[in-house]
Amino acid sequence: MATCKRRREVVVGIFLLITAIVIDPVPARRDLTLSGKSNDVEFARAPRGTVKTVQSGGGDVVDCVDIHKQPAFDHPLLKNHTIQMKPSFLEEGESHLQGLPAELEEWGVDCPEETVPIIRKTSENGPNVKDYVPSFLVDDVKSSHNKSFSILADFRQGHEYAVVQTNGKGTFRGSQAHHNVWNPSTEIGEISVSQIWISAGSGENLNTVEAGWIVLGSSPVTRFFTYWTSDAYKSTGCYNLDCPGFVLANNNFAPGFVFQSISTYGGKQFSVDIQIKQNWWLRVYNKNMGYWPGSIFNSLTGGGSAVTWGGEIYNSQKSGHHTATQMGSGHFPRDGYFTKSAYIRNLAFIQDNGPMRSVPKEALVSSVTKRQCYDLVMGPSGIHFGTHFYFGGSGLSAQCP
């Protein structure tokens, strides 16, 4: 990702709009009886292998699908794949048997053993919503901060970034960080993201695994998402479970879940701990979600060549000016740090064959595509946030026309 463009075509709202379901005041986790009809209140067809249908605490309709019939195994390279139910790399003190974290308890579902939860697509998030084309990652425009670091946006495609990235050589076999969770304002057909990328390869062999939170198309909710590609976003890869590839390995939560607790400006703060380890397990709140099998990649099989953390927005310029879509909290770092600007803290990585360790500041370079619209400031050393940074901004303004 660090040296090449990226393109990912996705239908806005394909998985991220909340369903119009009336739910109890207390988060409901119950079986559903469906009428078989299909309208804005009812539901689309259940996926193959559905054993039962439940409702999450956030109101999502969730199908409990036979773990062996989940979408991942439609991938031609996973036809004979043996499911891993836990990572092989668990370190001392870690457990794959832990209960559902408190942060997920309200949304979480209780699917039966040997099934996995898949959020149902409804008529509300169908393909009639306007498409958008995310950007490439380019290597022909250099960062103003470091001539060896490619900035992560193609201005013609409208994507803008405020990110930090590893600047040293080596092989990266994992990474993690705590992402401050917000619900920034976004315009219809646009996105606001906070995420982590691990990437390897170049040209058509660019591979990435990605995870974070996303707000899409004026949605009232912030959702967790995953993404991957094995050919520079051309024909492989997708968000969440929208194509075969990512293997779910738990029966309580899935990509696309809604964050129940959101940070408030000047008030209480919430964050999500995201960890990715080769080959390529995703852990959220220290709970195993699932993994991208190494066999679906060509460049990432031996590890990543770069790790990136930060914010991204899409600027459609549909009205002839910059978007009003916010990044992070919607406030710049200069407006104030903790409780005011979004942060990503306790950056860590696994480099070569070493352990997971804090990322030294000197191992990072930063890039911001349009500082008058969004910005990034590294945080001070010597506090419990470890290596961290603040980022974000308001978008459209007198300074960001």
Side-chain angles (χ1 to χ4, degrees):
M1 175 186 113
T3 59
C4 298
K5 292 183 176 181
R6 77 172 182 175
R7 183 191 304 273
R8 53 193 183 197
E9 298 183 0
V10 62
V11 177
V12 169
I14 200 164
F15 64 92
L16 293 171
L17 296 180
I18 193 166
T19 57
I21 305 166
V22 178
I23 63 174
D24 298 335
V26 176
R29 291 156 71 171
R30 58 177 184 264
D31 295 357
L32 294 177
T33 301
L34 306 183
S35 70
K37 299 178 182 178
S38 179
N39 56 43
D40 286 344
V41 179
E42 305 271 354
F43 314 103
R45 183 178 301 175
R48 181 185 74 249
T50 296
V51 173
K52 66 185 293 188
T53 299
V54 298
Q55 185 173 319
S56 76
D60 285 311
V61 176
V62 180
D63 293 302
C64 300
V65 175
D66 184 324
I67 192 170
H68 300 285
K69 296 180 180 179
Q70 62 178 294
F73 302 120
D74 291 332
H75 195 293
L77 296 177
L78 298 179
K79 293 299 184 183
N80 298 312
H81 181 75
T82 300
I83 299 174
Q84 301 173 40
M85 293 309 298
K86 63 178 181 178
S88 60
F89 52 71
L90 285 176
E91 298 174 358
E92 185 177 353
E94 292 182 318
S95 172
H96 73 287
L97 298 175
Q98 61 199 13
L100 197 64
E103 295 85 349
L104 287 171
E105 184 63 33
E106 288 185 76
W107 187 93
V109 296
D110 296 314
C111 282
E113 294 297 321
E114 296 297 313
T115 70
V116 292
I118 297 178
I119 297 174
R120 179 81 68 90
K121 294 180 182 179
T122 75
S123 56
E124 283 199 301
N125 54 25
N128 58 331
V129 186
K130 187 180 184 299
D131 290 354
Y132 80 90
V133 181
S135 69
F136 290 98
L137 299 175
V138 302
D139 57 8
D140 56 341
V141 182
K142 302 302 181 182
S143 167
S144 60
H145 297 282
N146 188 303
K147 293 299 182 183
S148 66
F149 178 53
S150 305
I151 69 170
L152 308 181
D154 180 334
F155 294 105
R156 292 169 299 173
Q157 296 295 327
H159 278 243
E160 298 172 22
Y161 297 82
V163 298
V164 299
Q165 187 180 73
T166 52
N167 66 358
K169 295 181 179 180
T171 300
F172 299 95
R173 305 185 189 281
S175 180
Q176 70 179 49
H178 291 264
H179 296 246
N180 193 205
V181 180
W182 294 85
N183 183 242
S185 174
T186 56
E187 294 191 6
I188 294 175
E190 300 187 351
I191 60 169
S192 186
V193 168
S194 173
Q195 73 172 91
I196 178 176
W197 297 258
I198 299 180
S199 58
S202 61
E204 293 186 357
N205 291 320
L206 172 68
N207 295 187
T208 74
V209 289
E210 311 171 22
W213 61 254
I214 188 168
V215 178
L216 175 62
S218 69
S219 171
V221 298
T222 303
R223 291 185 182 262
F224 182 84
F225 80 94
T226 65
Y227 197 90
W228 70 276
T229 182
S230 64
D231 64 353
Y233 305 92
K234 291 185 177 180
S235 62
T236 66
C238 60
Y239 283 103
N240 298 346
L241 306 178
D242 289 342
C243 68
F246 185 83
V247 178
L248 270 175
N250 82 93
N251 62 338
N252 297 126
F253 68 122
F257 73 80
V258 177
F259 288 97
Q260 303 296 307
S261 300
I262 302 295
S263 301
T264 56
Y265 185 79
K268 193 169 183 178
Q269 302 297 294
F270 297 92
S271 65
V272 54
D273 179 22
I274 301 172
Q275 181 184 96
I276 302 174
K277 287 186 177 180
Q278 196 177 3
N279 257 326
W280 287 96
W281 271 90
L282 174 64
R283 291 164 63 84
V284 184
Y285 294 117
N286 206 34
K287 173 87 172 173
N288 299 324
M289 175 179 279
Y291 60 96
W292 297 273
S295 58
I296 67 175
F297 299 106
N298 46 43
S299 301
L300 268 174
T301 53
S305 58
V307 184
T308 308
W309 302 261
E312 173 187 357
I313 66 95
Y314 174 57
N315 173 19
S316 65
Q317 294 187 318
K318 57 181 176 291
S319 300
H321 55 70
H322 196 282
T323 179
T325 288
Q326 299 173 340
M327 180 187 288
S329 69
H331 293 267
F332 290 89
R334 62 176 176 264
D335 296 335
Y337 292 163
F338 186 69
T339 79
K340 296 182 178 179
S341 177
Y343 60 79
I344 300 178
R345 65 177 174 88
N346 298 104
L347 275 60
F349 59 27
I350 299 173
Q351 191 170 26
D352 298 321
N353 294 317
M356 184 75 77
R357 65 185 182 92
S358 178
V359 179
K361 279 188 177 181
E362 58 270 20
L364 298 170
V365 289
S366 64
S367 180
V368 178
T369 53
K370 290 186 179 179
R371 288 189 178 274
Q372 67 271 35
C373 304
Y374 313 100
D375 206 354
L376 181 151
V377 174
M378 295 300 298
S381 301
I383 64 174
H384 69 282
F385 272 22
T387 299
H388 67 288
F389 60 92
Y390 297 89
F391 70 99
S394 60
L396 179 65
S397 68
Q399 292 75 39
C400 178

